[in-house]
Amino acid sequence: MNKQIKKVVIVGGGTAGWISATLLKKVVGVAIDIELVESEAIGTVGVGEATIPPIRLLNNVLGINEAEFLTKTKGTIKLGIQFENWRVQGESYFHSFGAAGKSMAFCHFHHFWQRAQSLGMQTSIWDYDLNYLAAMQGKFAHINSKDNIIELPYAYHFDAGLYAKFLREVSERMGVVRTEGLIEHVEQDKDSGFIQALVLKSGQKIEGDLFIDCSGFKGLLIQQELGTGFDDWSHWLPCDRAVAIPSKSHAHTLPYTRSIAHKAGWQWRIPLQHRNGNGLVYSSHYYSQDQALELLSRNLESDPLADPNFIQFKTGRRRQQWSRNVVAVGLSSGFLEPLESTSIHLIQSAVVRLIHLFPHHGIQTADVNEYNRQSQVEMEQIRDFIILHYHVNERTDSHFWRDLRNMAIPDSLAHKIELFAATGRLFREQNDLFLESSWLQVMLGQGIVPKDYHPIANTVAKEKLFEMLNNIQQIKNEPLSKLPSHDEFLRAYCRRAN
Ligand code: FAD
């Protein structure tokens, strides 16, 4: 157990495997050797194209040039997600990566906006959000303003296969060893249960001190060998299937993801430089595979470019994401809905957590327990945020939406909804990935109208309040005329990388 970690073996070469390899090599790689084993015969899950802003930190740490990255992964800019038909059919709202208004002491901007609404002003909270305004006009550029009222936080859409290839090049340049081969057998220490070696179909044996299981849903080491168990969350997040089909690009490349709700699931539309990524996430309890394929095909809006990819999954998390000398990262560690594009982020944060708790001098139970505790909290917070989208709905057109509206939800989420509905108050839990601005947009977008607002909003006279809101709206709109279209931005920016 207290064996010094000299060699890390990564099982799997999907997004999880290559992010783990690159980040570990970059940060702790001087002290350890890293070998990654993957099997082209098995392949990767082949989806996972939308991200959230912290990915930019990952790329920065890895020293990745953004223009080169966007060029090589056919990437585009993502300013947020447009949710269509989620509250009711025919309506949409936006979850932007920005924030409405400006930061205020003691109570959030939306309380002032709420008061103005009660006094007759008719604006939407998104009228004060530059991300939303730029997204709706299909515009983007980097904004370097000292004033944080003018910010345009963003993430990326990219081709998952090209991203893994890109990271593979980066990590191999840093010295990560890649071995192609099918793992057929795993050797375990009889007494400790620690994994000692992987045995490939070719007979090659790969020994290691610490194993990162990035083998996808099956969890080759964490579940099949160590049997750590699974917390099943499908009673809250019942979608368990997806079908994905790429299609031709449209004339204009949107700088945001579209999430379009259907009778028993939802469809993603992810605009890349060379194509659209499309998929339908659905519950097999309500749709057959044929129905799902027919529904997606009918709603593609451009010609398909490949055969459909059918995927099965179960929402939930591995009970122990670190067990003995195995750390599960990526789909092997659990899966939430792709609804808020959090999976690739969870890979990043798992590796960062592992680096913080890296067992240079041997695996300590205290480190393992802390890793597992933090991982659980992180996933439960994201789980609650995703359930919110489903549960608070007013759709009456299918059992799926009615059942979700009537289900019992986790107490942690029930408390958040109750507090917001009564007082408009939102508090970010410690380390919650989603800030108050995210919770606010989804709460409002799904139709919760708070009964009250903070009394501080009453301290401003009506005229002053209206003037303040008008000014903010004007300030938020000002940069728009100078921004290029998203397509113009991509063309000019990616030209630099060539
Ligand atoms: P995989 O891609 O499945 O890779 C597993 C690897 O293990 C492969 O290289 C395989 O060859 C290897 N392997 C397995 N068994 C063996 C063996 N016996 N021997 C050798 N090698 C083996 N995430 C986002 O952040 N944004 C999104 O928009 C998004 N959309 C998604 C949509 C859907 C429908 C699904 C299901 C997931 C989505 N995700 C998304 C999640 C994202 O796809 C994954 O988190 C990401 O791709 C990481 O996958 P992975 O590397 O863990 O697994």
Side-chain angles (χ1 to χ4, degrees):
M1 199 164 169
N2 286 324
K3 191 177 161 207
Q4 203 175 353
I5 306 295
K6 292 194 184 135
K7 177 161 179 199
V8 173
V9 176
I10 297 172
V11 175
T15 309
W18 286 113
I19 289 181
S20 304
T22 323
L23 193 50
L24 283 171
K25 192 68 195 168
K26 178 81 186 182
V27 185
V28 286
V30 182
I32 49 167
D33 292 328
I34 300 181
E35 182 165 357
L36 182 147
V37 187
E38 67 175 316
S39 162
E40 273 169 18
I42 294 184
T44 65
V45 71
V47 281
E49 303 186 319
T51 60
I52 53 175
I55 192 163
R56 287 166 43 217
L57 289 175
L58 174 70
N59 283 358
N60 283 344
V61 169
L62 297 177
I64 288 173
N65 174 285
E66 190 180 51
E68 185 192 352
F69 159 79
L70 285 172
T71 306
K72 288 197 167 162
T73 64
K74 301 283 180 201
T76 62
I77 297 297
K78 175 178 171 188
L79 294 171
I81 305 175
Q82 179 161 277
F83 288 95
E84 302 171 25
N85 303 336
W86 276 81
R87 183 178 77 82
V88 289
Q89 278 170 300
E91 261 190 24
S92 64
Y93 69 92
F94 206 76
H95 172 195
S96 97
F97 294 140
K102 59 174 187 171
S103 7
M104 320 276 261
F106 304 113
C107 84
H108 291 116
F109 168 81
H110 69 266
H111 294 278
F112 292 90
W113 166 77
Q114 248 177 275
R115 171 156 184 257
Q117 298 292 295
S118 73
L119 295 172
M121 191 178 233
Q122 288 183 339
T123 52
S124 107
I125 194 79
W126 290 275
D127 292 338
Y128 307 90
D129 184 332
L130 181 55
N131 269 57
Y132 169 76
L133 297 168
M136 290 303 105
Q137 294 193 12
K139 292 185 162 190
F140 178 77
H142 294 108
I143 293 188
N144 296 314
S145 162
K146 286 195 188 82
D147 189 349
N148 65 9
I149 194 169
I150 308 283
E151 281 180 340
L152 209 45
Y154 63 96
Y156 309 111
H157 306 115
F158 50 63
D159 181 314
L162 295 177
Y163 184 56
K165 193 165 161 244
F166 179 75
L167 288 181
R168 177 179 158 187
E169 280 168 21
V170 176
S171 50
E172 285 187 320
R173 269 202 305 272
M174 288 192 294
V176 170
V177 174
R178 174 190 180 268
T179 301
E180 166 65 35
L182 184 75
I183 301 160
E184 276 201 334
H185 178 64
V186 177
E187 288 183 1
Q188 235 175 313
D189 180 79
K190 274 203 280 322
D191 300 324
S192 66
F194 275 40
I195 306 293
Q196 290 175 317
L198 312 173
V199 184
L200 307 189
K201 192 175 178 189
S202 61
Q204 186 184 351
K205 193 192 257 196
I206 297 171
E207 295 181 333
D209 305 313
L210 181 69
F211 290 80
I212 314 292
D213 184 349
C214 300
S215 63
F217 285 123
K218 68 173 106 144
L220 189 72
L221 304 183
I222 199 79
Q223 186 55 34
Q224 292 185 356
E225 292 300 319
L226 302 183
T228 49
F230 192 76
D231 274 340
D232 185 341
W233 290 340
S234 53
H235 52 293
W236 287 315
L237 296 170
C239 288
D240 58 356
R241 298 278 193 284
V243 49
I245 307 178
S247 72
K248 283 190 176 162
S249 301
H250 297 291
H252 301 290
T253 314
L254 298 178
Y256 57 90
T257 306
R258 286 177 65 197
S259 163
I260 307 148
H262 292 291
K263 277 190 163 48
W266 62 277
Q267 179 186 342
W268 77 76
R269 167 85 47 79
I270 296 178
L272 307 178
Q273 288 184 35
H274 60 319
R275 62 167 173 81
N276 281 313
N278 308 279
L280 182 78
V281 174
Y282 64 99
S283 161
S284 59
H285 191 65
Y286 301 86
Y287 279 154
S288 68
Q289 182 168 299
D290 287 349
Q291 280 175 309
L293 178 59
E294 193 277 320
L295 181 61
L296 179 63
S297 305
R298 189 159 30 93
N299 287 288
L300 276 187
E301 292 179 11
S302 62
D303 294 341
L305 292 173
D307 290 336
N309 174 12
F310 295 100
I311 303 157
Q312 293 192 17
F313 58 85
K314 191 190 272 184
T315 48
R317 63 176 282 275
R318 206 63 69 195
R319 285 217 179 96
Q320 287 172 295
Q321 288 171 239
W322 182 346
S323 172
R324 298 186 173 90
N325 61 340
V326 174
V327 182
V329 175
L331 297 173
S332 67
S333 70
F335 183 55
L336 289 160
E337 277 268 351
L339 188 58
E340 284 285 356
S341 329
T342 42
S343 293
I344 294 173
H345 174 75
L346 283 169
I347 297 169
Q348 175 183 343
S349 79
V351 182
V352 169
R353 182 172 303 126
L354 176 61
I355 291 169
H356 280 296
L357 292 160
F358 199 81
H360 290 278
H361 299 296
I363 292 166
Q364 309 287 339
T365 309
D367 284 341
V368 175
N369 290 345
E370 181 56 21
Y371 182 94
N372 286 328
R373 187 192 70 76
Q374 290 183 16
S375 307
Q376 178 174 356
V377 171
E378 179 180 51
M379 274 195 98
E380 287 177 352
Q381 287 171 342
I382 298 173
R383 174 201 68 192
D384 283 4
F385 187 56
I386 297 175
I387 297 173
L388 171 69
H389 300 63
Y390 281 106
H391 174 64
V392 182
N393 79 78
E394 294 165 32
R395 287 185 61 142
T396 50
D397 56 310
S398 70
H399 285 299
F400 178 79
W401 292 104
R402 277 195 294 271
D403 291 351
L404 285 161
R405 188 160 62 243
N406 294 326
M407 73 181 169
I409 55 172
D411 291 345
S412 42
L413 175 60
H415 167 71
K416 264 199 149 83
I417 293 176
E418 199 185 333
L419 188 66
F420 182 73
T423 65
R425 284 176 193 152
L426 285 166
F427 296 95
R428 181 183 176 219
E429 298 298 324
Q430 211 180 5
N431 295 329
D432 189 346
L433 176 61
F434 291 101
L435 306 179
E436 288 92 339
S437 58
S438 291
W439 283 90
L440 172 72
Q441 294 177 70
V442 178
M443 294 263 194
L444 290 175
Q446 292 294 141
I448 305 177
V449 182
K451 288 197 184 65
D452 199 3
Y453 54 82
H454 199 287
I456 291 179
N458 286 328
T459 56
V460 188
K462 180 181 169 184
E463 296 69 36
K464 278 268 163 222
L465 179 68
F466 278 36
E467 191 187 317
M468 178 184 95
L469 290 169
N470 288 336
N471 279 343
I472 293 178
Q473 203 176 345
Q474 205 184 326
I475 293 169
K476 294 278 182 175
N477 272 282
E478 255 160 23
L480 289 173
S481 61
K482 291 180 219 110
L483 293 179
S485 77
H486 182 211
D487 285 305
E488 283 164 353
F489 164 80
L490 288 172
R491 268 195 299 275
Y493 197 54
C494 291
R495 213 177 292 132
R496 289 194 211 166
N498 294 321

